[in-house]
């Protein structure tokens, strides 16, 4: 299981969380990554944790002010990127081009989707993984794996039908090791989470719990 | 073969084109539809031709100023809608919700895509048809079916792999009966065209030619 | 005072409301306009009421699928258009170009803003009127003129400082003749309203009340 | 005169350019800033040059994946930000909120505009400066100050009419010290440039020339 912590624009210390994640990853041998604001990618990468971007633009080098160039994210230390998060939705064409940009820059890709039909569509574009996150459960108290296990199972099935080399992650409401274990039982190979870690008083103990049942 | 004429925002007389299309459809027995600006849907429908919207919003009834409500398009006489045209790209989630809105309003749907991978993604969302139109060929002199036949064939195959009940249309550069026949030979069951009719001096003779080899 | 009724995407009968508005306008001698979905502009105009678009695109004739061409809105019977409603925000450049498009098509323009600073900015682009509508009050029970009179007064002043030929309308929560009178007292020369009429059981009596204290 | 170098998404070495800019600024005593990709802000700031963001989002801390939080830009070393560049246009409301976000984070602000009317509108929102850049001249060979001096003069006048505490910068085609001097003669107090430095074989000599006639 891959634990991917999206720090969004939360009022948190990305470096402290990165250090905690690096320590828990080392101690447990599990894969944990942290996705900070683009401006903090290098600070997070310097902390020694696997570092992801929250988004990259579908562009190549050129006249694109205010873009998030995949190559710049990679230069800052990112090794992967989310795309099409429900808080940063992009067009179908830009998802396609964003995956191309990430590939050029050597970034792994997780393409987000709201439901099984969108997960299948996302899989057809060939990302490394599809993450299914029902928007209505994001930031909530109950994990998608318990609140709506069918959405995970159906996504795993729908993605496999389209391209069985694409992994399925799930997100929304994930905050405990039991949630991670439940996601794995449903066929997910990774989890996306955010507030559960970013808003925690003690991110390190949350992270330790998250990987405890893998 | 279904001939779908997208009038875009061209400086043309939508009613005159609608009347010509109705006449050619009647005379030939072939299916021809005209997609005008939303504001002209009822005028086009009144001319007796099959009428399509160029776009509908992903919303239900409610507080959505400046939206294109699927139900309003249907009330004005539309029986189908394009979605995600390369000049009106929408997010994956909005494509999904736009198809739902169209279904609620009883509209047929053609979801546009730029290439075979996007066509497969579009098919996963369950539209009636996917239209593949390489953006670089739109408005050009050569038909997609002759300029890039592989993109049509690969789209037909990719869509069938995902959902073989979804039809495949093609567009970009279509302007003659030979183009329509070539598209049919490649497995398409419809064509999208725009400037070939909308900018023609004699739309009726272009339309007559378009259906001449079906 | 100009009473501009925005029907948004509400589940209402635009023609019935248009007929009621035409009747009340005739009987009272006051100016009332109805802004339906683009697809219903001609049906509303046919009912004999002053007809407005909810939005027009910043484009000229050309390859713009799914746009709302100002000329098409005018051809369907619109004589004015809203721009930049808080539910259909546009860029500064598109507001500028949208006003140009409306001018070319002979449409009056009301450019919307959320607060006095934005109202001043909007005025600098030269619309016929600026409408100030605090988004947090839209659809609510209390009129902007009573809930936040300062926002109206400051907008009137800020707009006059930039260009005193630009009128100021106000909106959000307007539903009675007293609200209209209060808006006029604050210096507004028009009101925007929506749900108060569109969701009313008897739109005609609401409209009659709205103009009763002008 | 303030020389603000926007690196856009160009294929350049932001750190080398930052070092060159720091050296020229030190040697000349002139104010030079460099605006890299968000992901490279800290690397550029570490080089000792004044560092600007190309864009910030209109949001506060919270659930905003893929945003460019003003506070994160500041934490990475930015002291200012562009907003509404013609390659990253934002809505009027987001320009207003983006200025608020920048203020909270302690960032100076330059709000971009295409022409004098938009410059006046931008000034009404209260940025530190407005930059006028006719999009058709961006990336071209001739400086706005010589190709279209009226647009600069009229912007200076229009901005002063709205708020004379707002400075006016100009951009598009600026590449030499003579261009900077011409801009100053027209009333601008800063210049925006991009390809002239970012694509130069020897950025340092270009920068030295740029400040040579101030």
């Amino acid at each position: 299981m891959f634990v991917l912590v999206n720090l969004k624009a939360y009022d948190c210390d990305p470096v402290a969380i990165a250090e905690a994640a690096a320590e828990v990853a080392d101690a447990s041998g599990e894969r944990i990554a942290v996705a900070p604001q683009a401006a903090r990618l290098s600070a997070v990468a310097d902390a020694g944790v696997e570092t992801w971007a929250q988004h990259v633009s579908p562009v190549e080098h050129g006249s694109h002010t205010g873009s998030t160039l995949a190559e710049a994210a990679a230069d800052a230390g990112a090794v992967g990127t989310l795309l099409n998060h429900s808080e940063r939705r992009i067009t179908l064409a830009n998802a396609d081009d964003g995956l191309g940009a990430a590939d050029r820059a050597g970034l792994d890709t997780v393409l987000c989707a709201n439901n099984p039909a969108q997960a299948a569509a996302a899989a057809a574009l060939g990302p490394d993984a599809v993450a299914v996150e029902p928007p209505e459960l994001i930031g909530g108290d109950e994990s998608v794996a318990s609140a709506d296990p069918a959405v995970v199972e159906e996504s795993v099935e729908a993605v496999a039908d389209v391209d069985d080399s694409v992994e399925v992650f799930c997100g929304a409401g994930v905050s405990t090791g039991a949630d991670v274990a439940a996601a794995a039982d449903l066929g997910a190979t990774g989890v996306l989470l955010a507030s559960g870690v970013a808003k925690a008083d003690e991110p390190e103990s949350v992270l330790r719990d998250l990987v405890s049942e893998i």
Side-chain angles (χ1 to χ4, degrees), chain A:
Chain A
M1 292 294 281
F2 177 33
V3 174
L4 178 44
V5 179
N6 174 6
L7 300 185
K8 300 188 173 182
Y10 288 128
D11 189 10
C12 63
D13 180 342
V15 174
I17 292 174
E19 288 169 346
E23 202 163 300
V24 175
D26 278 352
S28 66
E30 300 298 336
R31 184 178 175 198
I32 304 176
V34 172
Q37 287 278 311
R40 307 310 305 281
L41 283 168
S42 51
V44 163
D46 286 348
V49 75
E50 182 174 331
T51 303
W52 278 55
Q54 295 179 11
H55 169 76
V56 296
S57 299
V59 300
E60 303 185 30
H61 283 295
S63 297
H64 309 291
T65 299
S67 56
T68 304
L69 184 70
E71 284 84 350
D75 287 347
V79 299
T81 188
L82 293 174
L83 277 171
N84 197 44
H85 189 276
S86 67
E87 293 158 9
R88 189 68 157 94
R89 287 172 174 169
I90 54 179
T91 66
L92 186 61
N94 283 354
D96 193 13
D97 291 343
L99 291 173
D103 281 349
R104 278 197 310 273
L107 302 177
D108 280 354
T109 51
V110 173
L111 188 53
C112 300
N114 296 350
N115 58 37
Q118 291 177 30
L125 298 178
D128 294 307
V130 167
V132 62
E133 294 196 294
E136 65 277 14
L137 300 179
I138 292 181
D141 286 336
E142 198 179 2
S143 164
V144 58
S146 53
D148 193 353
V151 80
V152 181
E153 289 174 311
E154 289 167 19
S155 295
V156 168
E157 198 173 333
V159 166
D161 280 351
V162 171
D163 182 346
D164 61 12
S165 73
V166 175
E167 297 185 63
V168 177
F169 296 175
C170 69
V174 175
S175 61
T176 67
D179 296 337
V180 175
D185 285 346
L186 296 169
T189 57
V191 292
L192 245 74
L193 76 166
S195 57
V197 169
K199 292 178 160 181
D201 289 332
E202 299 184 26
E204 188 170 334
S205 54
V206 174
L207 286 161
R208 223 177 286 125
D209 178 45
L210 280 164
V211 299
S212 62
E213 303 190 25
I214 297 179

